[in-house]
Amino acid sequence: CWGLNNQSQLGDGTTKAKLLLPTKVGGLSNIAMLASGTAHVCALNKAGGAVCWGWNNSGQLGEGTTGNRSTPSEVKNLAGVKAIAAGGQQTCALKTGGTAVCWGNNTKGQLGDGSTKQSAEPVAVKDLSGASAIAVGSSYACAVKSGGAAVCWGENGHKQLGNGSTNPSSLFVAVDEEPGKNLAGVTAVAAGTLHTCALKSDSSVVCWGNNGSGQIGDGTAGNKSKPTLVKGLTGALAIAVGEGHTCALKDNGAVVCWGNNGSGQLGDGTDSKAKSLVATAVQGLQQVAPIAAGEGHTCVLDGGSVLCWGDNTNGQRGDGTSNEKVAPTLI
C-alpha cells in the first residue's frame, strides 16, 4: 500500500504520515480481494475470512473494538465470504449463500440491519438474500440481487439510494428506474461518496445521486433521484466510482472518465477544465483489466503494471513524488 497513513491505513505497522512508494503489508497470505475505505483497508482471504487495519473509530475493522490497528486484525465471526467492500466508516461482506453482513458506523442505517446502532462486529443485512455483488459508499451501501435488481440502504441526502426520495433507510430499498418499476438487468454496482452507478447486462451504465461535478455523466450537473443513462457510453465492462468522478472500462480496452477533474483524475491530460459532464477518454492505456477510483485519483492494472493519475498530495499515485499528474503514470 502507499499514500496517506495518518490512521495506519497502509498496514505497515507505523503511523508515518504518508508513504510515497509501495510498502508491504505485513502478515498477509492467500489474499483474494482488497477493499479500501476512507482510512481503513480490508483483505478477503481465499478461505472466506477477512482481516482489516487502519482507522477504527466506529468499529469498521470488525474485530470487536474501536481502537486503530497498524497491522491486519481478524474480523470476528466471519466465514464463507466471497466479496468485501469498504466505505467511509463501515465495511460489508457478501457471503457465498447470497446474504451480506456489515459492521462499523450506523448513524444513517448503513449497516442495513434495521437499526442505527453502531457495531464493531458483523451484523446481518436484514432480509437480504440472493445477492451477487455489493458496494459501499460514504455512508450507504448497495447490492445486486438475483435477476439483476439493485437495492441500497443508508444515507440518502443526495438521492444516492435511487428510490426517488432523500430519506435515509436502515433497511434496503429497491432502486427504481421510474415510479413502480425497479431497475433490472444490473450485473455490477459501484458506490462513491454521494453517487452510485450500475453496469447493466447490455454494457450500458446508469448513475444516480449527487451530480454537482457531472459525475452522473448525462451532460448535466443536477442531482438525479433515479438511474440515468451515461451519455454516449457503450461496451462497458467495469465501473469505478470516486468522490466526484466516475470511470468505466470498455470492451476495446479503453478507459473513459467523467465528472470532477480538478486534480486531473479524469486522465485526459489536462486539469484546465474543472469537470466533464460526459465520458472522456483516458490517455495512453492498452490492456486494462481492473480499475479503481479514490477521492481524487484513479488507478488501473494495465498489462501487469499499475498506473495512476490525479491527486497526489499524499503520495497516492505511488511514484515517489507528491506532484499531481493529469495522465496515467507508472507506479
mmCIF file of all heavy atoms in Angstrom, residues 82 94-100 128-134 143-146 151:
data_model
loop_
_atom_site.group_PDB
_atom_site.id
_atom_site.type_symbol
_atom_site.label_atom_id
_atom_site.label_comp_id
_atom_site.label_asym_id
_atom_site.label_seq_id
_atom_site.Cartn_x
_atom_site.Cartn_y
_atom_site.Cartn_z
ATOM 1 N N LYS A 82 -17.371 -14.175 -0.047
ATOM 2 C CA LYS A 82 -16.851 -14.193 -1.413
ATOM 3 C C LYS A 82 -16.519 -12.803 -1.956
ATOM 4 O O LYS A 82 -15.875 -12.698 -3.000
ATOM 5 C CB LYS A 82 -17.826 -14.888 -2.357
ATOM 6 C CG LYS A 82 -19.156 -14.192 -2.557
ATOM 7 C CD LYS A 82 -19.992 -14.981 -3.577
ATOM 8 C CE LYS A 82 -21.321 -14.303 -3.871
ATOM 9 N NZ LYS A 82 -22.115 -15.070 -4.873
ATOM 10 N N LEU A 94 -20.078 -9.857 1.346
ATOM 11 C CA LEU A 94 -21.072 -10.695 0.689
ATOM 12 C C LEU A 94 -20.704 -12.156 0.919
ATOM 13 O O LEU A 94 -19.568 -12.561 0.670
ATOM 14 C CB LEU A 94 -21.086 -10.393 -0.807
ATOM 15 C CG LEU A 94 -22.042 -11.202 -1.679
ATOM 16 C CD1 LEU A 94 -23.488 -10.920 -1.302
ATOM 17 C CD2 LEU A 94 -21.799 -10.890 -3.154
ATOM 18 N N LYS A 95 -21.648 -12.932 1.400
ATOM 19 C CA LYS A 95 -21.382 -14.329 1.713
ATOM 20 C C LYS A 95 -21.760 -15.233 0.542
ATOM 21 O O LYS A 95 -22.518 -14.843 -0.354
ATOM 22 C CB LYS A 95 -22.121 -14.728 2.987
ATOM 23 C CG LYS A 95 -21.778 -13.804 4.173
ATOM 24 C CD LYS A 95 -22.252 -14.330 5.503
ATOM 25 C CE LYS A 95 -21.308 -15.386 6.026
ATOM 26 N NZ LYS A 95 -21.662 -15.799 7.407
ATOM 27 N N THR A 96 -21.215 -16.433 0.543
ATOM 28 C CA THR A 96 -21.383 -17.329 -0.592
ATOM 29 C C THR A 96 -22.840 -17.702 -0.845
ATOM 30 O O THR A 96 -23.224 -18.000 -1.969
ATOM 31 C CB THR A 96 -20.554 -18.615 -0.399
ATOM 32 O OG1 THR A 96 -20.886 -19.196 0.874
ATOM 33 C CG2 THR A 96 -19.072 -18.320 -0.433
ATOM 34 N N GLY A 97 -23.671 -17.662 0.175
ATOM 35 C CA GLY A 97 -25.077 -18.009 0.007
ATOM 36 C C GLY A 97 -25.951 -16.876 -0.479
ATOM 37 O O GLY A 97 -27.169 -17.044 -0.637
ATOM 38 N N GLY A 98 -25.345 -15.672 -0.703
ATOM 39 C CA GLY A 98 -26.117 -14.538 -1.193
ATOM 40 C C GLY A 98 -26.629 -13.609 -0.122
ATOM 41 O O GLY A 98 -27.365 -12.660 -0.419
ATOM 42 N N THR A 99 -26.280 -13.863 1.137
ATOM 43 C CA THR A 99 -26.588 -12.921 2.208
ATOM 44 C C THR A 99 -25.399 -11.978 2.397
ATOM 45 O O THR A 99 -24.334 -12.160 1.793
ATOM 46 C CB THR A 99 -26.874 -13.646 3.531
ATOM 47 O OG1 THR A 99 -25.718 -14.408 3.899
ATOM 48 C CG2 THR A 99 -28.062 -14.582 3.379
ATOM 49 N N ALA A 100 -25.569 -10.947 3.238
ATOM 50 C CA ALA A 100 -24.495 -9.992 3.476
ATOM 51 C C ALA A 100 -24.467 -9.587 4.942
ATOM 52 O O ALA A 100 -25.499 -9.622 5.635
ATOM 53 C CB ALA A 100 -24.659 -8.754 2.609
ATOM 54 N N LEU A 128 -31.912 -9.595 3.303
ATOM 55 C CA LEU A 128 -31.225 -9.654 2.009
ATOM 56 C C LEU A 128 -30.867 -11.102 1.677
ATOM 57 O O LEU A 128 -30.257 -11.807 2.486
ATOM 58 C CB LEU A 128 -29.962 -8.798 2.033
ATOM 59 C CG LEU A 128 -29.182 -8.734 0.709
ATOM 60 C CD1 LEU A 128 -30.008 -8.034 -0.369
ATOM 61 C CD2 LEU A 128 -27.851 -8.005 0.900
ATOM 62 N N SER A 129 -31.237 -11.534 0.481
ATOM 63 C CA SER A 129 -30.902 -12.874 0.026
ATOM 64 C C SER A 129 -30.657 -12.830 -1.481
ATOM 65 O O SER A 129 -31.075 -11.900 -2.170
ATOM 66 C CB SER A 129 -32.027 -13.862 0.357
ATOM 67 O OG SER A 129 -33.225 -13.486 -0.312
ATOM 68 N N GLY A 130 -29.986 -13.841 -1.987
ATOM 69 C CA GLY A 130 -29.754 -13.932 -3.419
ATOM 70 C C GLY A 130 -28.882 -12.838 -3.988
ATOM 71 O O GLY A 130 -28.943 -12.557 -5.191
ATOM 72 N N ALA A 131 -28.046 -12.209 -3.172
ATOM 73 C CA ALA A 131 -27.191 -11.119 -3.660
ATOM 74 C C ALA A 131 -25.966 -11.679 -4.374
ATOM 75 O O ALA A 131 -25.394 -12.690 -3.966
ATOM 76 C CB ALA A 131 -26.763 -10.227 -2.502
ATOM 77 N N SER A 132 -25.567 -11.013 -5.446
ATOM 78 C CA SER A 132 -24.411 -11.448 -6.228
ATOM 79 C C SER A 132 -23.274 -10.444 -6.213
ATOM 80 O O SER A 132 -22.157 -10.767 -6.630
ATOM 81 C CB SER A 132 -24.832 -11.703 -7.678
ATOM 82 O OG SER A 132 -25.352 -10.525 -8.268
ATOM 83 N N ALA A 133 -23.509 -9.221 -5.747
ATOM 84 C CA ALA A 133 -22.467 -8.189 -5.698
ATOM 85 C C ALA A 133 -22.840 -7.175 -4.627
ATOM 86 O O ALA A 133 -24.017 -7.007 -4.292
ATOM 87 C CB ALA A 133 -22.316 -7.497 -7.047
ATOM 88 N N ILE A 134 -21.821 -6.492 -4.089
ATOM 89 C CA ILE A 134 -22.058 -5.496 -3.046
ATOM 90 C C ILE A 134 -21.080 -4.345 -3.211
ATOM 91 O O ILE A 134 -19.962 -4.531 -3.719
ATOM 92 C CB ILE A 134 -21.934 -6.134 -1.639
ATOM 93 C CG1 ILE A 134 -22.544 -5.233 -0.570
ATOM 94 C CG2 ILE A 134 -20.488 -6.498 -1.318
ATOM 95 C CD1 ILE A 134 -22.834 -5.949 0.730
ATOM 96 N N ALA A 143 -26.466 -3.428 -3.197
ATOM 97 C CA ALA A 143 -26.215 -4.812 -3.599
ATOM 98 C C ALA A 143 -27.007 -5.123 -4.850
ATOM 99 O O ALA A 143 -28.037 -4.496 -5.135
ATOM 100 C CB ALA A 143 -26.608 -5.772 -2.470
ATOM 101 N N VAL A 144 -26.497 -6.094 -5.605
ATOM 102 C CA VAL A 144 -27.209 -6.618 -6.771
ATOM 103 C C VAL A 144 -27.855 -7.934 -6.365
ATOM 104 O O VAL A 144 -27.192 -8.825 -5.824
ATOM 105 C CB VAL A 144 -26.259 -6.848 -7.956
ATOM 106 C CG1 VAL A 144 -27.029 -7.404 -9.150
ATOM 107 C CG2 VAL A 144 -25.556 -5.540 -8.343
ATOM 108 N N LYS A 145 -29.147 -8.065 -6.621
ATOM 109 C CA LYS A 145 -29.870 -9.285 -6.271
ATOM 110 C C LYS A 145 -30.024 -10.179 -7.501
ATOM 111 O O LYS A 145 -29.799 -9.753 -8.633
ATOM 112 C CB LYS A 145 -31.239 -8.948 -5.688
ATOM 113 C CG LYS A 145 -31.169 -8.168 -4.368
ATOM 114 C CD LYS A 145 -32.523 -8.067 -3.722
ATOM 115 C CE LYS A 145 -33.000 -9.407 -3.199
ATOM 116 N NZ LYS A 145 -34.297 -9.320 -2.518
ATOM 117 N N SER A 146 -30.432 -11.418 -7.256
ATOM 118 C CA SER A 146 -30.648 -12.345 -8.356
ATOM 119 C C SER A 146 -31.698 -11.768 -9.304
ATOM 120 O O SER A 146 -32.670 -11.160 -8.881
ATOM 121 C CB SER A 146 -31.122 -13.697 -7.817
ATOM 122 O OG SER A 146 -32.307 -13.546 -7.064
ATOM 123 N N VAL A 151 -30.535 -2.960 -4.934
ATOM 124 C CA VAL A 151 -31.097 -2.416 -3.702
ATOM 125 C C VAL A 151 -30.013 -1.623 -2.980
ATOM 126 O O VAL A 151 -28.818 -1.906 -3.126
ATOM 127 C CB VAL A 151 -31.642 -3.522 -2.780
ATOM 128 C CG1 VAL A 151 -32.819 -4.239 -3.430
ATOM 129 C CG2 VAL A 151 -30.554 -4.519 -2.410
#
